[in-house]
Amino acid sequence: MKILLLEDDTALASILVDYLEDEYEVTQTYSMKQALRLSEEENFDLYIFDINVPDGDGISLLKELRDFQNETPAIFITAFESTKYLKSAFESGANDFIRKPFDLEELTQRIENIKRHFGLEGVLKITPTLEFDVKTHTIFDAHKRVRLTHKESECLHYFYKNRHRVVSSDELLQNFWEFDEMPGDDAIRTIVKNLRKHIGKEHIVNIRGEGYKFE
């Protein structure tokens, strides 16, 4: 699991990185601009953002990411007591919120809850009979094992993580291809066709004029 940590308190950042790296892969930055650049260059499974950083704030950063259809789950950490920041955080697209000072185990439990909710564990049960190993890009049951291409695996995982909503072709294109390498909608249709062949067409439903929904 890859985490992008935006925290400008050097002492706290060091503690968090040392603690989290026992279980997760952590990239840490003190800068909002750097965090934005990193989010564009790499695919992260979770964002942990401080609200107040020297060159901006985590809430504005997350809102910008959401405007570009980046749906990576996010946890905010802050020393602010006012509920207005809590409201702003969730309005920007946050999934959880934790106030400083906090126990490190509490942060772990919040991360694990995000993992369960968004299907970030290594092996996911995607249908009553089929499982999906995210790391090996493999779908399997008691009788068969199919290895997906990297893009098929990424798209299936994305569908699963966003199974509560409709995902458009444009969103998939923006999340899995660089702008100058972006193919047409036919690439998404081909991936969806292949995934349906492996898991059953009833599990990826075409919502006319909007996109696809995983069921």
Side-chain angles (χ1 to χ4, degrees), residues 33-161:
K33 291 180 181 178
Q34 175 79 347
L36 180 60
R37 184 183 65 78
L38 288 166
S39 70
E40 292 171 344
E41 293 176 351
E42 299 183 51
N43 285 322
F44 292 94
D45 300 304
L46 175 65
Y47 298 137
I48 301 178
F49 291 164
D50 193 359
I51 286 182
N52 191 26
V53 290
D55 61 344
D57 66 272
I59 291 175
S60 297
L61 171 60
L62 185 61
K63 188 176 185 306
E64 184 170 352
L65 292 172
R66 295 293 189 250
D67 286 343
F68 282 95
Q69 299 183 320
N70 183 323
E71 296 295 329
T72 300
I75 299 173
F76 276 110
I77 53 177
T78 183
F80 290 122
E81 294 290 336
S82 173
T83 56
K84 75 174 184 179
Y85 293 102
L86 176 66
K87 182 174 184 290
S88 296
F90 285 117
E91 286 178 346
S92 73
N95 303 96
D96 205 348
F97 190 94
I98 187 169
R99 284 193 175 93
K100 303 174 186 177
F102 54 85
D103 187 277
L104 291 173
E105 179 58 26
E106 179 184 355
L107 179 59
T108 295
Q109 293 307 313
R110 291 177 184 272
I111 292 172
E112 291 300 308
N113 183 60
I114 291 283
K115 283 177 64 177
R116 287 189 294 270
H117 184 74
F118 286 90
L120 299 175
E121 289 96 348
V123 178
L124 310 174
K125 195 170 187 63
I126 55 171
T127 76
T129 59
L130 279 176
E131 293 185 294
F132 173 38
D133 188 323
V134 176
K135 292 183 178 179
T136 63
H137 313 300
T138 303
I139 297 172
F140 61 94
D141 61 15
H143 307 290
K144 69 175 181 180
R145 180 175 290 267
V146 177
R147 185 174 177 86
L148 304 176
T149 67
H150 186 70
K151 291 299 184 190
E152 289 169 353
S153 178
E154 283 187 324
C155 287
L156 179 57
H157 196 194
Y158 196 82
F159 280 136
Y160 184 89
K161 289 188 291 184

